[in-house]
């Protein structure tokens, strides 16, 4: 059956929300820019933009390997020694909850500085600044980041994340040997 045209337009306009995880700088700016211009989405309720600067001794490329957004629509890019995240539909009081779901270590252990934008106009203005940045300052992820899947062996509960234990066999018993 054919999708009615209004629904097709609506689905098309939600396209950026299908992305997840690392995006090149330009794709990131285009996606967040498109979301801000999308009048079908709630005003000032589209999400939170966060720029995080790693603690001394950690490179942003390394910090990115720890950034595993589980939710579609949560995207991240690297540039000017900052890791920039856009968390779709996250509300500002929920920012720490969302960051806990995304990083396997306490965020304060990885990043020393954070800047946050959450209203459409603020986010759009920051995207204009980001677009103006020279391509030399963009950073590329390490090879291992591109291959990494979201952390599978974890489960969320109300306040903390827990690893779900998985059974592993270190040495199999040689066949026929007495126990
Ligand atoms: P998704 O939004 O892409 O989220 C993928 C997975 O990220 C979820 O798998 C869950 O493990 C985690 N996740 C995302 N957002 C949150 C959150 O706010 N809190 C917690 N604790 N975990 C979160 P899951 O649960 O198997 O859900 C699969 C998909 O089903 C989700 O994909 C989403 O499309 C939908 N979904 C599930 N529950 C909800 C819900 O309460 N509200 C909405 N709007 N969609 C939901
Ligand atoms: P919300 O999106 O309104 O979700 C409210 C609660 O519904 C979540 O509380 C969680 O219990 C449940 N929920 C929502 N989506 C999913 C899902 O896909 N899977 C499962 N299993 N549960 C889901 P929670 O986890 O305490 O999160 C509170 C708020 O924090 C969320 O409100 C959202 O604003 C933000 N948040 C949490 N995790 C993420 C995330 O991974 N990405 C983004 N963008 N926001 C998140």
């Amino acid at each position: 059956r054919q999708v009615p045209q209004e629904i097709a337009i609506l689905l098309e306009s939600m396209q950026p929300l299908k992305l997840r995880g690392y995006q090149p700088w330009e794709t990131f700016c285009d996606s967040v820019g498109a979301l801000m211009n999308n009048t079908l989405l709630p005003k000032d309720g589209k999400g939170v933009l966060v720029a995080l600067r790693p603690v001394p001794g950690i490179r942003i490329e390394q910090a990115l390997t720890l950034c595993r957004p589980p939710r579609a629509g949560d995207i991240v890019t690297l540039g000017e020694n900052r890791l920039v995240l856009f968390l779709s539909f996250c509300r500002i009081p929920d920012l720490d909850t969302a960051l806990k779901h995304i990083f396997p270590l306490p965020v304060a252990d990885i990043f020393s500085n954070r800047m946050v934008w959450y209203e459409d106009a603020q986010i759009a203005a920051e995207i204009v600044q980001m677009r103006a940045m020279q391509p030399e300052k963009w950073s590329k992820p390490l090879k291992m980041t591109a291959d990494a899947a979201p952390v599978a062996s974890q489960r969320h509960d109300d306040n903390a994340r827990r690893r779900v234990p998985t059974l592993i066999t270190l040495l199999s018993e040689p066949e026929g040997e007495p126990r």
Side-chain angles (χ1 to χ4, degrees), residues 16-25 27-28 31-32 64 67-78 83-88 102 141 145-146 148-150:
L17 297 170
K18 291 191 188 148
L19 300 174
R20 182 168 58 81
Y22 173 78
Q23 307 297 323
W25 191 262
T27 313
F28 183 96
S31 305
V32 179
L64 182 68
C67 178
R68 313 268 189 88
R71 193 194 268 210
D74 289 355
I75 54 176
V76 57
T77 195
L78 300 181
L83 187 144
V84 189
L85 267 166
F86 182 75
L87 305 176
S88 294
I102 292 169
T145 314

Side-chain angles (χ1 to χ4, degrees), residues 84-150:
V84 189
L85 267 166
F86 182 75
L87 305 176
S88 294
F89 300 121
C90 183
R91 293 170 314 121
I92 192 74
D94 294 330
L95 177 59
D96 285 321
T97 308
L99 292 176
K100 266 190 217 153
H101 290 164
I102 292 169
F103 292 95
L105 297 175
V107 172
D109 290 357
I110 317 170
F111 302 102
S112 54
N113 182 280
R114 97 163 56 159
M115 289 177 76
V116 179
W117 300 266
Y118 53 93
E119 286 170 3
D120 292 358
Q122 295 174 343
I123 295 174
E126 183 55 23
I127 292 293
V128 169
Q129 299 272 329
M130 285 176 67
R131 279 192 210 275
M133 196 172 82
Q134 303 297 317
E136 306 85 76
K137 293 190 180 161
W138 303 350
S139 307
K140 281 220 183 92
L142 302 171
K143 166 87 177 71
M144 60 186 286
T145 314
D147 301 338

